[in-house]
Amino acid sequence: MSAQKNILITGSRGFLGRELVTLIQDARVIELVRTKSEDEADHTAVYSDTATLFQHEPHIDIVFHLAAIIPYGHMQHESSIMQRVNVELPEKIIQHYPHARHVLASS
């Protein structure tokens, strides 16, 4: 019998992420979100910052990098936010979990 996999999802509140969370049945889902809500699913651990995530989740098997900021509307001039979310966040997670499988996707 194999151990339950830990799956980290960034962008889990977005279009793709919401669907992915509902599809995962036989694994523990860990979400990295901007803000936490009170009604989290039972099979989900939710973190709103990488420091706490890294402290409490030493082992991740698969990471779905779905979080992204696109240059649209009021965000089109926010290059520093886009840099942090689109480049620095995935880089930090990849460095912290180098043995995990990493999937980068966007809609």
Side-chain angles (χ1 to χ4, degrees):
M1 178 182 256
S2 63
Q4 186 179 43
K5 295 220 182 275
N6 289 323
I7 299 176
L8 172 61
I9 303 172
T10 69
S12 61
R13 306 292 165 87
F15 178 71
L16 292 176
R18 284 190 313 263
E19 294 300 317
L20 182 59
V21 169
T22 62
L23 291 173
I24 296 172
Q25 299 295 316
D26 298 328
R28 181 168 170 264
V29 174
I30 301 153
E31 298 178 59
L32 182 61
V33 299
R34 285 187 219 158
T35 55
K36 292 170 69 171
S37 67
E38 297 299 319
D39 57 340
E40 307 297 345
D42 290 338
H43 70 293
T44 303
V46 180
Y47 300 95
S48 59
D49 65 274
T50 55
T52 307
L53 168 70
F54 296 160
Q55 179 182 7
H56 293 284
E57 304 294 343
H59 178 77
I60 299 292
D61 298 293
I62 303 167
V63 181
F64 287 93
H65 299 272
L66 306 177
I69 300 292
I70 58 170
Y72 178 77
H74 72 282
M75 296 305 283
Q76 64 188 356
H77 301 293
E78 298 293 336
S79 61
S80 64
I81 295 171
M82 288 188 294
Q83 175 74 20
R84 278 197 317 269
V85 174
N86 299 348
V87 178
E88 294 170 12
L89 177 62
E91 180 179 53
K92 183 186 280 190
I93 292 171
I94 289 167
Q95 288 175 351
H96 194 81
Y97 300 116
H99 301 293
R101 290 183 179 169
H102 293 266
V103 178
L104 287 91
S106 176
S107 59

